[in-house]
Amino acid sequence: MSENGDMGHHDEHDHDHEQSFISKYIFSTDHKIIAKQFLITGIFWAIIGGALSVIFRLQLGFPDMDLEWLRPLLGKWITTSGKLDSEFYLALVTMHGTIMVFFVLTAGLSGTFSNFLIPLQIGARDMASGFMNMLSYWFFFLSSVIMFISLFLETGPAAGGWTVYPPLSALPQAIQGSAAGMTLWLVAMVFFIASTLLGGINYITTVINLRTEGMSFSRLPLTIWAFFITAVIGLLSFPVLFAAALLLVFDRSFGTSFYLSQIYIGGEALPNMGGSPILYQHLFWFLGHPEVYIVILPALGITSEIIATNSRKPIFGYRAMIGSMLAIAFLSFIVWAHHMFVTGMNPFLGSIFMFLTLIIAVPSAVKAFNYITTLWKGNIVFTPGMLFSIGLVSFFISGGLTGLFLGNSAVDINLHDTYFVVAHFHLVMGSASFFGLLAGVYHWFPKMFGRMMDEKLGYIHFWSTFVGVYLVFFPLHYIGIAGFPRRYYSFTSFDAFSTFADLNSFVSIAAILTFGAQFIFLFNFFYSIYRGRRAPANPWKSNTLEWTTPVNPGHGNWPGEIPKVYRWPYDYSKPGAEDDFIPQTVPYSATPESNTDYENELAKPEEVTPKVKAEDEA
């Protein structure tokens, strides 16, 4: 590596060299192109996942509706009476959850922005391994193809909930959705896990080894801290899901009994003995709960950057924000059994997991408090990205509060597997993370494509989505308290639930309209790529390094030397400074003398490399 941290490549990158379309845009090793590949694939899956939810919301909200008009799309899964097949309904719910959690909010969010921002914000030419980075996308793409094919199988896609609990998932003969669809689900997830691990290793290595001169850990943007911590969580937890899936494959295909014992099908006893389906739950949720933070932490990192930039204020509690993310990462590994309070676990053990679950609310509250304090008395610029970031904070708080109920083992016994749980995680994890993804797209679109998205369409998109999400998920809390079980095909046969029929119809209408509002974003996104207003070099007047590159950076990011870093990334509205932002590349000597005290607190002398210090003093 050369002195300025460019791996000795910059001469090569100063001159364009001919690349074929395939090598530049298909099998690219450029982190920016790979990020766009993740984003476009994630958008495709978001449309599929959203469409599936619209179909099953039609069934829930209007159980007497004739769905014959869907037969050209769904074929035999529409019954002769024009209703949705009950087994296919479970498959829709399963595939919706799988797609949104893994393919959209894990790969689409973390894959896009970790790839795009890590080299640009730490001052690196590219990822540590461009080839490994390319492989991570193509494993994800292969996983996507396999999962997509499963939607068209004769027996239908996997049906067992997105958690695919055995014994339903371990017995191919149990229901149609336990057959080939479940096999393809497991194969697709193996490739997905490989993709995630390859990406995580790359992200961690890049952040540790390829930071530019002066970029100490205490000067990293909070986005990079979030991506780095997320990669560590994924690296430690996804192999456990791989082990769970592998044992499930053994039970399905090789006659083992890891999860099966005393099973009867059609009155006939199976030979499996000694297994435990609870073992699968332990393995799954050891990934499942860290997965919540694998999904939300990148969104929180993006929100930290956007809120500080558009509040024109330093982020409040920079070190507390890092500490809270580290605490969340640690605690996320020791709370998994709060998903299992109703499995018959020892009440004493349940009380321990309840205590740890409630403790994790503390670092989460620190983040929410710091966001609000950063916004307080800020000179706020309401860009679409800023609105989606504020929307994320709103969902994170309102959805997080309902988590306090579910974290209490005594209350959870009544609320477990009801629509209260659905409402909780769709707000605090699903919608909040999705808003983080949208905020990131609006904010970094100029750097991705060199053009600006239309702000008015962005405002319409935000308000229709923000209001729509609350109209969908807020009423579900009340339905859940009333006892509505999740994943049930129909409630019309239960007199106790008939009073909520109108509310269910209302939720379905709101869900359809909210899904429709996303096409405003799709039009804005694809139209702006080609016809949007050309972006200036630094449209948001931001401090981080990515805005020091050309508007359309080539492979290598900076045409000359990589810039050096002298300060933290949140110097906004410093008293006495000429502008209301001071980029990280501006030395302290260029700052008014009276304002260096605060700087020196944030960048202690030992954090400044001798070379940078000598040049600064000169």
Side-chain angles (χ1 to χ4, degrees):
M1 182 187 289
S2 63
E3 280 185 346
N4 63 342
D6 64 359
M7 299 179 287
H9 283 204
H10 82 260
D11 289 336
E12 174 191 335
H13 295 298
D14 284 343
H15 306 286
D16 289 331
H17 50 277
E18 285 298 319
Q19 282 185 292
S20 67
F21 179 85
I22 290 178
S23 65
K24 186 173 182 181
Y25 294 108
I26 308 299
F27 297 107
S28 175
T29 57
D30 183 351
H31 71 100
K32 299 181 292 299
I33 300 296
I34 294 170
K36 293 174 189 176
Q37 291 173 327
F38 271 105
L39 178 59
I40 299 298
T41 311
I43 288 173
F44 167 79
W45 275 117
I47 297 167
I48 299 294
L52 297 180
S53 71
V54 165
I55 294 171
F56 67 69
R57 274 312 322 178
L58 283 173
Q59 165 62 35
L60 288 171
F62 310 99
D64 299 323
M65 178 186 284
D66 186 352
L67 297 177
E68 189 66 35
W69 55 278
L70 281 174
R71 189 177 295 279
L73 179 65
L74 300 181
K76 70 165 191 170
W77 300 114
I78 299 296
T79 64
T80 53
S81 60
K83 299 293 185 287
L84 195 67
D85 182 83
S86 57
E87 284 195 16
F88 187 66
Y89 171 85
L90 183 56
L92 287 175
V93 175
T94 301
M95 295 306 290
H96 167 74
T98 302
I99 287 166
M100 300 307 283
V101 171
F102 294 114
F103 288 18
V104 178
L105 296 178
T106 301
L109 174 56
S110 190
T112 297
F113 291 103
S114 294
N115 265 302
F116 190 76
L117 291 178
I118 286 176
L120 286 171
Q121 290 197 335
I122 69 171
R125 293 293 183 195
D126 207 316
M127 285 290 180
S129 171
F131 178 72
M132 188 186 288
N133 207 18
M134 179 187 74
L135 276 184
S136 76
Y137 172 72
W138 284 104
F139 272 122
F140 169 52
F141 184 80
L142 183 58
S143 171
S144 295
V145 169
I146 294 168
M147 195 68 79
F148 189 68
I149 288 171
S150 77
L151 295 171
F152 302 95
L153 292 173
E154 175 75 17
T155 53
W162 76 278
T163 56
V164 295
Y165 282 172
L168 198 59
S169 60
L171 298 169
Q173 69 271 39
I175 59 173
Q176 289 189 83
S178 298
M182 187 63 71
T183 301
L184 289 187
W185 190 97
L186 290 166
V187 173
M189 287 309 299
V190 166
F191 283 111
F192 181 85
I193 292 165
S195 163
T196 305
L197 296 179
L198 285 169
I201 291 168
N202 225 353
Y203 306 151
I204 293 167
T205 307
T206 305
V207 171
I208 291 174
N209 292 325
L210 299 186
R211 288 168 287 124
T212 189
E213 193 169 357
M215 180 65 82
S216 61
F217 271 93
S218 63
R219 291 175 176 171
L220 287 175
L222 289 172
T223 41
I224 304 302
W225 272 107
F227 301 148
F228 178 74
I229 293 168
T230 299
V232 172
I233 297 173
L235 209 57
L236 295 174
S237 60
F238 267 107
V240 181
L241 180 63
F242 179 84
L246 190 64
L247 298 184
L248 194 54
V249 170
F250 284 166
D251 275 12
R252 284 175 60 81
S253 305
F254 300 108
T256 58
S257 298
F258 290 106
Y259 305 133
L260 298 174
S261 184
Q262 298 175 319
I263 303 291
Y264 290 80
I265 292 185
E268 181 184 345
L270 300 186
N272 306 86
M273 292 296 291
S276 169
I278 303 301
L279 170 62
Y280 176 87
Q281 290 194 33
H282 280 293
L283 293 173
F284 181 88
W285 287 116
F286 191 82
L287 166 277
H289 202 77
E291 171 65 17
V292 171
Y293 297 102
I294 290 170
V295 164
I296 193 66
L297 279 180
L300 293 174
I302 288 167
T303 295
S304 301
E305 177 67 25
I306 295 175
I307 284 182
T309 300
N310 291 289
S311 295
R312 314 312 295 166
K313 280 178 63 180
I315 192 79
F316 183 87
Y318 174 80
R319 287 192 175 90
M321 294 288 255
I322 296 168
S324 66
M325 285 192 282
L326 291 170
I328 285 171
F330 172 72
L331 290 168
S332 71
F333 283 98
I334 53 176
V335 297
W336 78 88
H338 68 212
H339 297 271
M340 301 168 59
F341 285 146
V342 297
T343 59
M345 69 162 60
N346 186 305
F348 176 72
L349 190 61
S351 67
I352 292 172
F353 279 101
M354 181 182 79
F355 173 74
L356 293 170
T357 299
L358 297 178
I359 287 291
I360 208 170
V362 175
S364 300
V366 168
K367 295 196 75 66
F369 173 79
N370 286 11
Y371 289 137
I372 293 168
T373 314
T374 304
L375 289 165
W376 181 254
K377 293 189 176 180
N379 187 18
I380 300 174
V381 183
F382 288 107
T383 64
M386 181 63 160
L387 288 173
F388 276 99
S389 296
I390 295 172
L392 180 152
V393 176
S394 172
F395 294 148
F396 192 63
I397 294 171
S398 57
L401 287 173
T402 57
L404 297 175
F405 296 90
L406 295 172
N408 186 313
S409 57
V411 178
D412 180 72
I413 289 170
N414 289 312
L415 296 177
H416 186 81
D417 263 350
T418 68
Y419 269 83
F420 191 92
V421 178
V422 175
H424 159 71
F425 75 72
H426 272 87
L427 277 182
V428 76
M429 183 186 83
S431 300
S433 301
F434 191 64
F435 266 47
L437 172 62
L438 292 170
V441 171
Y442 278 108
H443 189 76
W444 280 287
F445 188 90
K447 184 52 60 182
M448 284 183 173
F449 299 103
R451 294 181 182 271
M452 304 293 288
M453 292 181 75
D454 185 276
E455 280 202 343
K456 289 181 181 177
L457 288 178
Y459 296 144
I460 296 169
H461 177 222
F462 167 75
W463 285 111
S464 55
T465 307
F466 180 73
V467 173
V469 166
Y470 269 125
L471 291 179
V472 171
F473 296 116
F474 211 78
L476 292 185
H477 290 94
Y478 295 97
I479 296 176
I481 291 171
F484 265 46
R486 62 195 288 202
R487 302 194 183 105
Y488 270 38
Y489 166 74
S490 172
F491 302 105
T492 51
S493 55
F494 298 90
D495 291 337
F497 298 144
S498 60
T499 53
F500 292 96
D502 291 342
L503 193 56
N504 236 331
S505 301
F506 174 82
V507 168
S508 291
I509 293 169
I512 293 165
L513 293 176
T514 306
F515 175 70
Q518 305 320 301
F519 288 91
I520 300 170
F521 167 79
L522 286 176
F523 170 79
N524 195 2
F525 180 84
F526 288 107
Y527 180 85
S528 298
I529 289 175
Y530 300 103
R531 297 292 182 87
R533 177 169 56 87
R534 293 196 179 278
N538 189 358
W540 317 122
K541 297 182 178 178
S542 191
N543 291 341
T544 41
L545 286 182
E546 73 269 27
W547 305 106
T548 64
T549 64
V551 174
N552 286 304
H555 194 175
N557 298 331
W558 287 268
E561 288 192 359
I562 296 176
K564 300 180 182 65
V565 166
Y566 298 89
R567 59 179 70 238
W568 77 322
Y570 300 110
D571 271 336
Y572 293 105
S573 301
K574 281 188 67 65
E578 284 186 29
D579 297 311
D580 70 345
F581 71 109
I582 307 174
Q584 288 187 276
T585 53
V586 175
Y588 289 123
S589 54
T591 314
E593 192 70 30
S594 60
N595 296 312
T596 56
D597 294 341
Y598 182 59
E599 305 277 4
N600 293 336
E601 264 186 57
L602 291 162
K604 294 190 167 75
E606 62 269 18
E607 294 168 353
V608 182
T609 63
K611 184 175 178 183
V612 173
K613 190 174 181 183
E615 288 181 3
D616 191 10
E617 288 170 355

